[in-house]
Amino acid sequence: MDTEPRSVVELREIHKSFGDHEVLKGVDLEVDSGECLVIFGRSGSGKSTLLRCINLLEEPTSGSVEVGGVVYEAGPSNRHRRRTVREIRARTGMVFQEFNLFPHLSVIENVVEAPRTVKKMPRGEAEELGMGFLEKVGVAEKRDQHPIRLSGGQKQRVAIARALTMQPEVMLFDEPTSALDPELIGEVLAVMKNLALESNTTMVVVTHEMGFAREVGDTLVFMDAGVVVESGDPREVLSRPQHPRTQSFLSKVL
């Protein structure tokens, strides 16, 4: 029986420029099924742009993106490529810094909107699925509340449930605790830890939470100036970083 890990995400030679400014400079990245890969680095190092290239919210200037067997090659836009973008986005769930909940919808309506609209799922089926994930993240009792009535931590947990309800192959987290008050960070990290360790969810996480990276991450990736400088087991990277740029950064944050 084949027990080799299966790659869910493969990025090859990803370049991304905004005008004359090259943000990503030939990044390669691979994420296996069930892996929690954590990306960290200075502000402006290209971390969030790289994450957004995985689900093509930012389309690379050059290179290729593969998610769940669907391959996107950067190049001129055409009808076939637009279909590929939709297929890749359907395989990814994204959790943003600022929650991005619809303020006019209740919690359960926020959670079922995408599966009903994108997957044409019947309302009853979508609500049953959505409630299961609201229970998993600990906010099921808030189902009929509107986002304005929720704390920042509750909003982010709803956002995680919303992404999970699409049943993606990989979950992307873009600094999911950076907009939270310090006392609320732990509740969101606990949900993410549960997803990684108990649910075996494939995750790519951009974060400055080094404790989470050490405890939960399977692979730690340090980016600087648009390139991957160092990657490996979190305990090795954090305890014995090999590259001077990684050493310099960690000396300031640990």
Side-chain angles (χ1 to χ4, degrees):
M1 187 176 185
D2 186 8
T3 58
E4 283 294 309
R6 177 179 66 89
S7 292
V8 176
V9 176
E10 289 190 26
L11 307 183
R12 295 287 177 259
E13 275 295 307
I14 295 295
H15 291 257
K16 177 63 181 177
S17 296
F18 296 97
D20 294 332
H21 179 48
E22 189 176 32
V23 177
L24 299 176
K25 305 171 182 177
V27 176
D28 294 324
L29 196 70
E30 196 165 310
V31 187
D32 289 336
S33 178
E35 181 177 16
C36 178
L37 184 142
V38 179
I39 304 172
F40 74 109
R42 297 176 176 83
S43 296
S45 61
K47 309 181 301 296
S48 292
T49 300
L50 181 66
L51 196 74
R52 293 166 71 89
C53 282
I54 295 175
N55 67 355
L56 302 173
L57 284 176
E58 296 290 354
E59 296 188 28
T61 307
S62 64
S64 68
V65 175
E66 181 175 347
V67 178
V70 178
V71 180
Y72 166 96
E73 297 278 356
S77 184
N78 55 48
R79 185 177 300 174
H80 173 73
R81 198 177 75 158
R82 302 320 301 170
R83 185 169 65 248
T84 300
V85 170
R86 288 195 299 271
E87 289 177 357
I88 284 180
R89 287 181 183 164
R91 285 164 167 76
T92 58
M94 183 85 165
V95 178
F96 300 88
Q97 297 179 33
E98 298 288 347
F99 324 129
N100 288 6
L101 299 177
F102 297 113
H104 62 291
L105 299 181
S106 68
V107 164
I108 189 63
E109 288 168 337
N110 264 282
V111 168
V112 304
E113 177 72 14
R116 290 191 68 215
T117 303
V118 178
K119 292 190 171 182
K120 310 302 181 187
M121 191 179 291
R123 183 176 184 89
E125 183 181 341
E127 286 200 5
E128 183 178 355
L129 186 64
M131 283 304 300
F133 286 117
L134 288 173
E135 288 171 9
K136 181 182 284 287
V137 302
V139 288
E141 76 283 0
K142 303 293 184 182
R143 60 162 289 157
D144 296 318
Q145 300 282 349
H146 282 69
I148 196 171
R149 304 290 300 275
L150 305 180
S151 71
Q154 290 167 341
K155 289 177 185 176
Q156 195 60 295
R157 285 187 280 158
V158 172
I160 292 171
R162 178 180 60 181
L164 288 168
T165 303
M166 284 295 287
Q167 299 175 292
E169 295 192 35
V170 59
M171 286 282 288
L172 310 176
F173 294 85
D174 188 8
E175 300 195 29
T177 60
S178 66
L180 299 178
D181 293 332
E183 67 270 20
L184 300 177
I185 290 173
E187 66 185 63
V188 173
L189 292 177
V191 168
M192 294 169 61
K193 179 179 177 180
N194 178 65
L195 288 176
L197 300 182
E198 296 182 24
S199 302
N200 204 35
T201 303
T202 305
M203 299 164 58
V204 183
V205 183
V206 171
T207 186
H208 294 294
E209 300 291 339
M210 292 294 99
F212 174 87
R214 185 190 300 273
E215 187 176 358
V216 181
D218 296 300
T219 302
L220 192 54
V221 172
F222 174 64
M223 287 188 67
D224 191 36
V227 300
V228 172
V229 174
E230 187 165 346
S231 66
D233 181 283
R235 288 156 292 278
E236 289 293 318
V237 173
L238 295 176
S239 301
R240 290 179 288 277
Q242 300 300 304
H243 197 284
R245 280 191 277 178
T246 318
Q247 294 167 3
S248 173
F249 179 83
L250 289 175
S251 72
K252 297 177 176 65
V253 301
L254 292 181

